[in-house]
Amino acid sequence: MTPLQTEHRSDVDPLLQLDDVRTHFKTERGRVRAVDGVSLTLRRGRALGIVGESGSGKTVLSRTIMGLLPSTAEVTGSIRYSGTELIGRGRGGMRGFWGREMSMVFQNPMVSLNPVMKVGEQIAEPLRLHLGMSRSDAKATATRLLTDVRIPEPERRIDQYPHELSGGMRQRVMIAIALACGPSLLFADEPTTALDVTVQAQILELIAEQRRDRNMSVVLVTHDLGVVAGHTDDIAVMYGGKLVETAPTTLLFSEMRMPYTMSLLRSIPRLDDPSHTRLPVIAGRPPDLVAPPSGCRFAPRCAYARERCHQEEPPLVPTSHPDHLYACWYPVGSDEFNEREADLVRSGAVPVAIARGEQK
Amino acid sequence: MNYLFQRLAMAVMLLLAVSALTFGGMNLLGDPLFNILGPVAADTSNPTSVAKIDAAKEKYYLDRPLPERYVRWLGDMVTGDFGVQFSSTGEPPVTNLLKERTPRTFQLLVLAQFMATAISIPWALIAAARVRRPTDRISTVTSFLLIALPNFALGIILKYLLGIKLGWFPLTYTASDPFFSRLHQLILPALTIALPAAAVYQRLLRTDLVTTLQEDFILMARSKGVPRRRVLVRHALRPSLFSFITVFGINTGALIGGSLIVETIFRVPGLGSAIVEAILREDFPVVLAIVMIATTTFVLVNIAVDLLYSVLDPRVRR
Amino acid sequence: MSEPSAETGVTVPMAAEPGRVQRRIGIGFWLSMSWIVLVVLAAVLAPWLPLKDPDANYIVTGTRPPYGPSWTHPFGTDQDARDLFSRVIFGARTSLIIGFVAISFGMIIGGGLGIIAGYYRKWVDRTISVVMLILLSFPALILAILITSLIDRGLFTISVTLGILAIAPVGRLARAATLSFAEREFVTAARSLGASNGRIIVRELLPNVVIPMAALALLGMAVAIVAEGGLAFLGLSIEKGFTWGKLILYGAGARDLERAPWISFAPILVLFITVLALNYAGDRIRDYFDVKEISL
């Protein structure tokens, strides 16, 4: 992780810059504010984790950047990809970026590969379309890509259909497809959720390794703070369509400010937990994005919320560290927070303390 | 392989049942002797008539019990001999008639199915690409109208519009014309059969395409930067073809029925007109032969459809 | 319900809207039913309506029929100067009777067989299913031609013949519907209360199978009316009297079509609208009651 951090300081030119991005869907019930004013920056070669529950807008955000949204979506704000504005390009305008500049690995490898096309054809397709390779060149490159993603016997696998491969193998194929044309930006949307625990780590490691080899940026979208912990440089926590906390990964884990981030962290099962420990879950459901609550969107579910949280929406403000932003009136560590925490601990509602500075 | 064997066994059983029913029904309800000889059959007082009756009975095995006659007929049919037409002279053989008529109906049906496929696939692709938008709604209404329109009505409308008013196609079929003019003459009848079939296929295929287009692998294909049209044709079409080809097979039966009427409207002397004439004359061997051809074709097309599944979807391959 | 969008393949992945499928039968259904009622009424009341005599020749001296549509003959006349408007209405009598008798026959026999197959299962089901399969593998029209030519071409024979064609499709639907109901609680309850099989079939199953059957009945009636038209084109429709099919055939020759298209087109129009109305109403009932498409 360290060499990359030094690299990021020298690399000032951002690959991706989002400014007040809003993605709204017109539905019969009204306007669904799926993404509501997100600004962030991603530098070349860096890995960003977007973390949140389902319904937080993280998947929509990644698809907004890719431009892979249904026609009911309205996107405003600015998304600059190495200086080029992406919003308003339309589908035709985005196609030039897909596969070549940015590509995506989807959640469920079982249903994300075309069941009636050979694996090799599916990898070769973008090569032939974007790089104009001949059939045989594309096939050779596809075989090499399969080797890159550590699939044994690539020459045999290339002529197989997806149903003949295991789940982990299919996810590797998806990664090979996404990497085929050497994109600068890779989105991985819950890439390991559908996989066995043992395979999950391998896939994450593979993505990290390819990122280093190709100096590619990665956006890792997940609900699991545990997944991003070891594999990203920065983390953006989303809730109700908004960013609620962003920070370099190490900083976030050592000095998290947002009670929501803390709740997410607490919901990760830990190996050193005694067995049968009940996992604390965040009570309640993510907010209705048609009529979001006034004030802080997390307030209705927040154990530390006070009157002000329900009235006024907290802005995203930096801590002493300029890269660490959070949106909370009474952040973790504040007097009001500590007071409430003490009450909660006394009543036995929360585990005694959150481990601070927890890092791999 | 085992599965194919089962299907074939089933098909043979079915053909046996159909042939036995037709054979039995015609012989019990009709009067074969009368149909061969005409009024002579009832004239048992005249020795010449009696001689003719005896000869005919001998020739057509009419003095034998029905099951025996069926088995004889069946044995002949399996070897490709459909017997002779019912007539006092016993000539000509049914096979001659079939050789002349079958290719025309076959050409008509193949052309019709080809047209139906050629129309319905692009139609469904366009509708599915614009699902629930005006284009799609218009297409849904159009297919509903076409499906409800009886084929004889469509035949007359096409004959009037394309044949008489616009004069693009000839109104009748001339058997002695060269191949390509006959093909030209077959376009109007084929279109009459094809349009409603295309509407049926389109409706099914559109529904399946819309479902497929919501699959994750379509989004995946798009995110690879595959152009829209190619996503539709290369990625969505093939996994969506199952209902289409199933109904393509089942519909063959309906088209065979429809071709009878269409052949009459456009005066194509094919199997359709042959069976109508034969039924009116109660020329049982001809009727039987054509029923068997129609049913066998139907059964075979459906078996072929079953085999096509495995070509389309590698997952059902064994 | 999230709005799936085919052009992108994205299902909007958030904030589930409450899923309510619109369950209205719609104005189209009532329009269709109105037309059907109108046609049926006109057909039933035809002898008492102020119509021209369908068999009289309204020749205007000094001119040669056929006459085009006019105030006196709204649909025009045929080659024999017979009024097409009243002929279409009188034709409706025969066509509708054929459609009605055919589908009733199909419903009673096919529905009965289907329910029995679905209720008793085992060898009863297997036997009935094989019979249906055989019926289905005859090209329908050929079967109709066979029967009519071997028996006679009276109104009753033709109707029953077309009814036989309806047996297999109706039977399959009834069987499928019965299968899905036979294991429901109310049937099990009735059985545990000691109800006889016959009583369960009539009192518990029949009422539930009737709705999908009603949808099929409307579609089937349309099919039967069309099939009669097909027989007419083969010269195999009823010998006496006239039907829509026969009326259409009268004007279907190339010369007549060119000279006087209305002879064919007037009955085609009425037949088409009727068939459309039957189809549409049947479709709506099926959708409204959420009946699965089982084949027709």
Side-chain angles (χ1 to χ4, degrees), chain A residues 139-322:
Chain A
K139 189 164 182 177
T141 312
T143 316
R144 214 188 55 236
L145 278 160
L146 284 185
T147 320
D148 284 353
V149 295
R150 310 244 182 294
I151 288 185
E153 304 175 82
E155 293 84 2
R156 188 165 70 89
R157 297 298 182 192
I158 210 146
D159 286 323
Q160 285 185 321
Y161 288 94
H163 72 276
E164 296 171 87
L165 306 179
S166 70
M169 203 98 86
R170 287 189 224 183
Q171 194 60 294
R172 286 168 193 273
V173 170
M174 284 238 280
I175 294 172
I177 294 174
L179 295 177
C181 296
S184 307
L185 177 56
L186 177 75
F187 290 90
D189 186 355
E190 303 269 11
T192 59
T193 313
L195 301 176
D196 287 349
V197 183
T198 46
V199 186
Q200 286 184 3
Q202 297 170 9
I203 294 293
L204 289 170
E205 196 41 57
L206 176 68
I207 293 175
E209 176 192 297
Q210 292 296 325
R211 171 168 68 92
R212 284 192 292 270
D213 292 355
R214 294 162 185 266
N215 192 27
M216 172 176 76
S217 302
V218 169
V219 174
L220 192 60
V221 177
T222 176
H223 66 281
D224 188 349
L225 266 179
V227 164
V228 289
H231 298 95
T232 57
D233 305 310
D234 301 283
I235 291 178
V237 181
M238 279 190 83
Y239 186 81
K242 286 176 175 291
L243 286 185
V244 292
E245 186 162 15
T246 68
T249 305
T250 36
L251 205 57
L252 186 89
F253 280 96
S254 57
E255 287 172 28
M256 58 179 60
R257 288 304 179 90
M258 187 51 200
Y260 177 63
T261 314
M262 197 180 68
S263 316
L264 278 180
L265 186 63
R266 281 178 180 167
S267 64
I268 303 172
R270 292 168 40 157
L271 286 177
D272 54 353
D273 276 339
S275 55
H276 304 299
T277 308
R278 271 184 61 204
L279 279 178
V281 287
I282 311 175
R285 303 219 276 121
D288 177 3
L289 295 172
V290 173
S294 60
C296 173
R297 290 186 180 181
F298 185 55
R301 296 167 72 192
C302 182
Y304 310 94
R306 288 158 189 265
E307 191 54 31
R308 188 179 183 194
C309 301
H310 295 281
Q311 306 297 334
E312 284 175 70
E313 192 169 335
L316 205 55
V317 292
T319 61
S320 52
H321 191 293

Side-chain angles (χ1 to χ4, degrees), chain B residues 97 101 260 263 270-281 283 286-291 294, chain C residues 142 145-146 234:
Chain B
L97 179 81
R101 302 292 185 98
L260 301 192
E263 284 182 12
L271 287 179
S273 37
I275 196 174
V276 174
E277 289 155 24
I279 285 174
L280 292 176
R281 281 191 286 117
D283 191 345
V286 175
V287 177
L288 263 174
I290 297 177
V291 167
Chain C
I142 291 183
I145 303 172
L146 266 177
L234 300 175

